[in-house]
Amino acid sequence: MTLLEKINHVRDQFNTDLERISDLKSWEELKNTYLGRKGLVSKLFSRIGDVPPQDRKTIGQALNSLKNEIQNQVDSLHQTLQEKVDESHDVDYTLPGFPIFKGSRHPLTQAIDEMLSIFARLGFDIAYGPEVETDWYNFSSLNLPLNHPARDMQDTFYVDEGIMLRTHTSPVQTRYMTQHKPPVRIVAPGRVYRNEAISTRSYCMFHQIEGLYVDKNVTFADLRGTLELFCKMYFGPDARIKFRTSYFPFTEPSAEVDVSCFLCKGKGCRVCKNTGWLEILGCGMVDPNVFKAVGYDPEEVSGYAFGLGVDRSVMQKLDIPDIRMLFDNDVEFLKQF
Amino acid sequence: MKVDLNWLQDYVDIDRPLEEICNLLTEAGLECRIVESGPRVPEGVIVGEVISVENHPNADKLSVCFVNTGEKEPAQIVCGAPNVAAGQKVPVAMVGTSLTPDFTLKKAKIRGVTSNGMICAEDELGLSEDHSGIMVLDESCEIGKPLNNYLPKTVILDIDLTANRPDCMSHIGVAREVAALTGKSLKIPDITHQETGPDIHSLAQVVVLASDGCPRYTARVIRNVNIGPSPDWLKKRIEAIGLRPVNNVVDASNYVLHETGHPLHTFDYDKLAEHRIIVRYAEEGETFETLDHKERTLSRNVLLICDGKKPVAMAGVMGGLDSEISDNTVNVLIESAYFDPPTIRKGSKQQLLSTDSSKRFERGTDPNANCVYAQDRLASLILELAGGNCAKGMIDVYPKKIEPLPITMRFDRLKKITSLDISPETCRTIFESLDISVQSMDDQTINVLAPTFRPDLEREIDLIEEIVRIYGLNKIQANSRLQFSMSETVDPLNPFLNRIREIFVGFGFHEAISNSLVSQDMANAGIWGYAPVPLMNPLSIDMNYLRTDLIQPLLHNLKLNAARKRQHVRLFEIGRVMEKDPLSETTVREHQNLGVIMCSDMWDLHWLRSPAPADFFFGKGMLMRFLDNMGITDISLNNTDFHPDPYRIFMDITSGKIQIGKIGEYQPEFLNKYQLEYPVVILELKLDVIFELRKEVFKYKPVSPFPSMTRDISIVVDKNMESETLMKEIHQKGSKFLKDVVVYDQFMDDRKLTPGKKALSYRLWFQSDERTLEDQDVDRIMEKIFNILIRKYGAQLR
Ligand SMILES: [Zn+2]
């Protein structure tokens, strides 16, 4: 290609590129590409020495006219673009942006998920069980034989003779153990049901997370360690826990666990009713009768179990005064989370 | 259960702060709360000391006192009481105190002398009727302190007992725990009563025909009692724990019940036919009127106490009207028995009658020492309070003695469960402090006899719990490093559900959680047509079935939101729906579903775009985007046979031949009823199926580096021609170069088109993986597409 042909090629290229310029930024690039110190036009000028002397004048004129042409077009384009920018200042940018819909997860599934992911870090897998249970799984296998007074602790909805809505997530323990050999390390989230009058504090349905660890040489100290870690991870690193002896037929020794109030840090406030403590879960060492029911040897293995009420703890954390608000599904309530 | 602190101190010395006792009991399993009761005066009444008393210059009966109330200057107070004297500590109502709701004390001039307060008499403070003079306080009261600090208080320990500890349903039982926890000894009152009457066997006879239900029955008879009111000390104690005093015999019986925990029954001896007690089961259909004036029809499992002719009590549950102690009672028969716990529980359940007594028997009372102690204690108390003479001896029908259970505890087992190193000696001390007698012990094991008042102690693990709870549960500390076997499996379901949640939250939906319990109508209206599952004992008629779909509960939520005039409602829920299935272990099959409901514009009101209601096609678009996200292909939507009336559109969603869900939109009439502003779009998907069908790992597909070309075509076809059919045809003829087709316009205007026709516009994208396509490549393909559309479907080009 001769230099003259190259000049024409650059002109064509410039005209094509010019079409694409729509804002000041790309204009700047265009200007640099063609008119910059190392731009295409400069490059052409630098090659004028290669041209035979007799042609230099013609080529020089052609180059100059290309440079002027480009310069003029670039300048006039700049003016046009600048005008556009000025015009656009008339738009009122304080008008609101397009309303993207807000979606939200239910506070309960958020809390359940947060807890499950903490337990996942502590090596627990997730297990599930049916919401409609047999008497054997819901009661008998958990050391609650027929006519046991402790059955009164849980008012039960019956679907059929010996078939009920599970009153706790504990039947997942015995379901899982009948199907798996130790070691077992699971958490089981889910809905549970109690036939209790509905009020601000109690609903016929709520959510629990059950935990179970069975292995050789599991002690109450392991239980305490796991729950302390969980509480620090969930409530914050300064959370402390304390145990109170309690009674659940499927664990022994059994305990209720209180965690230092997340709001007042134990000083006492409205949320913790001035005690500085919040009741969060029940737990204990798995009762030997439960092991016998699922065919484990209580002399070989030991274990702990715990059950955590999610709804109560969410209500405390979010300061929700009435449990029914969790199940009304008013969008004004839900969209806050 | 209420325990009177004062009363408790009869049995154990308490020398620690009450708070501490309360915490100890709570940690040991007796959840305890301190409740104080007693007279209270307004806060502004404080203790003052009379410094001087002078006569009032203008009134004979009044005096002017200077009283030290703890302020810098003594207060000048005019007083009319005759007994006021210098040096007395007295209650002073300060200016500003409201003594009654409509009397607030002000600074006043009484006969020309300023009075800054009032020295009070008991009646003025509402403490008694006494108006003989001002109240004079004890020397030890501190000046300036509220009077309330010095008024007598009843302190009650309100204890929430667990079902396994019937032994603690009494003052002695709680005292035993306090003694064990604080290292004190338990003091049980001695009984001394004189038996001056004839031999009891000459007065009464007891026949137990149901010794399985009633292993032990004891009776005493006291004759010639004087029924009358109880003395003050007894009334006070009975009232302190929330009972109403009746008469000395009944109150004594209640007193012993709450002292020992053993329920007793007192009969009017003369009302017992033949002076006989017969313990037997009821005949089927036998009737009996209990103390609560209810005529009860009994079944065979109800245990009865009868006299020679008729029932006189439902054993261990409630007595009858006829044989009750009355003001005219002269002779009393005391029953102290041990009833079999399941027998009492069955009877009480069957009669839906739960009493303080039945609760104790069904949890387990003591057949041995305490049964007899309670009997003797009541006899001696009745003699003391109501006089009379006690027959010699006690009838005791106890054919088969219930022996205390021997249990062995291994020390290494204790350590294995608790991780605590507790010395054998400490274990022995703890057991003995709980009246668990230690039979023998070496360095490996300890052998004990579980007392019969502790039915909860049966196994080694029960003893381990006793040791830990007395030793201190919180002495078990976490190891500094946890060691455990990690689970080797990872549940895939929860991440799957969370992904779905995130997708729908991204679509602008709120996650709902609805009650699984619904009305029969809602259960029957379920979109799957599942056989509904009723509850045998529902809370209410609105909640007597399990839900059979998620749409009905979501509609219920929509109605609530509509009633509150919420603007846009977009909800989704992940949860189970239930179907009756006789073949299932639980008679119910549970399906995990996703339900979606929307009644909303496509966007909130905004200046940039005019409102557009989200309709069926919005729902369909969302569905397709979701299924695409799950990697589910070969989807078709077909009208279903199942047409519950309110739907306008209702379609089955299938992937291949597998049903995965349903989608629909409600008829406008439905909207009018609830005054909704938008169509109601519903979608329910079977997540169990989608979980199986989902493809999570997509194989990478090469991306073409060559530019694509677009072509638009507009055709006119019959109105009933399905656009999806044409779309499939276009795809087929489009060759490998056709990458995508979109319908971008549909047009039906009989004025502009031949009637019965519609116009459809498609945009097609072509691209090659190997080269830049030329116009003629694409023209050739377009030709083929036109031809097939014209020949096969009678399409015309526009
Ligand atoms: Zn607090």
Side-chain angles (χ1 to χ4, degrees), chain A residues 95-99 101-106 108-109 113 116 122-126 128-134 137 143 147-153 156-161 163 165 175-176 183 185 191 193 195-198 203-205 207 213 215 217-222 224-226 228-229 242-247 252-255 279 285 287-289 298-299 301-302 326-332 334-335, chain B residues 26-29 31 162-164 345-346 349 362-363 410 413 415-419 459-462 465 468-469 473-474 476-479 482-487 489-491 493-494 498 501-502 505 507-517 533-539 543 546-547 557 560-561 564 566 568-574 576 578 580 585-588 590 600-609:
Chain A
L95 279 169
F98 191 77
F101 268 153
K102 178 179 177 153
S104 62
R105 281 189 62 167
H106 197 282
L108 284 174
T109 72
D113 222 44
L116 290 181
L122 296 172
F124 289 84
D125 194 13
I126 304 173
Y128 306 89
E131 288 174 20
V132 180
E133 263 299 1
T134 62
Y137 282 114
N143 196 27
N147 283 320
H148 194 290
R151 283 196 176 197
D152 291 350
M153 288 157 70
T156 311
F157 284 117
Y158 285 91
V159 159
D160 215 327
E161 201 63 50
I163 306 288
L165 297 184
R175 274 196 179 267
Y176 195 88
R185 195 168 174 86
R191 290 186 185 203
Y193 302 85
N195 195 344
E196 286 165 10
I198 294 176
Y203 199 68
C204 52
M205 169 185 99
H207 296 76
Y213 177 47
D215 200 352
N217 301 317
V218 181
T219 71
F220 205 100
D222 296 317
R224 178 156 195 143
T226 303
E228 271 179 4
L229 262 182
K242 72 170 187 203
F243 286 76
R244 285 180 280 121
T245 304
S246 189
Y247 171 62
E252 186 153 10
S254 301
E279 193 175 315
M285 301 301 290
D287 193 285
N289 285 352
E299 289 293 312
V301 292
S302 54
L326 292 171
F327 307 113
D328 276 348
N329 302 309
D330 184 328
V331 292
E332 288 299 318
L334 294 175
K335 68 160 58 147
Chain B
T26 300
E27 193 186 332
E31 200 178 337
T162 52
N164 59 331
R345 185 175 155 83
K346 276 182 224 155
K349 284 256 145 186
E362 70 181 47
R363 283 169 170 73
R410 293 162 294 173
R413 189 73 186 165
K415 172 151 172 109
K416 235 178 155 176
I417 296 290
T418 65
S419 83
R459 303 164 301 161
E460 183 182 37
I461 192 73
D462 302 325
E465 181 174 64
V468 186
R469 71 180 189 88
L473 193 58
N474 285 298
I476 303 179
Q477 286 301 316
N479 303 326
L482 283 182
Q483 202 179 21
F484 50 80
S485 307
M486 301 278 283
S487 162
T489 50
V490 177
D491 158 65
L493 181 62
N494 198 53
N498 276 338
R501 290 188 177 104
E502 272 149 28
V505 168
F507 287 162
F509 280 68
H510 301 295
E511 186 181 16
I513 294 183
S514 320
N515 196 349
S516 308
L517 309 181
V533 182
L535 292 179
M536 289 171 83
N537 55 337
L539 253 181
M543 292 188 237
L546 298 181
R547 62 185 181 185
N557 299 333
L560 176 132
N561 278 287
R564 296 179 181 175
R566 304 299 184 227
H568 303 285
V569 180
R570 299 176 306 276
L571 297 172
F572 76 97
E573 175 165 2
I574 291 174
R576 299 199 192 159
M578 311 296 186
K580 195 90 199 166
E585 177 189 22
T586 63
T587 73
V588 171
E590 306 186 10
S600 165
D601 254 327
M602 286 201 275
W603 41 77
D604 286 319
L605 198 59
H606 192 249
W607 58 274
L608 206 55
R609 301 264 192 289

Side-chain angles (χ1 to χ4, degrees), chain B residues 40 294 765 770:
Chain B
R40 281 286 166 275
K294 279 208 179 112
W765 278 266
E770 287 112 29

Side-chain angles (χ1 to χ4, degrees), chain A residues 261 264 269 272:
Chain A
C261 176
C264 63
C269 70
C272 58

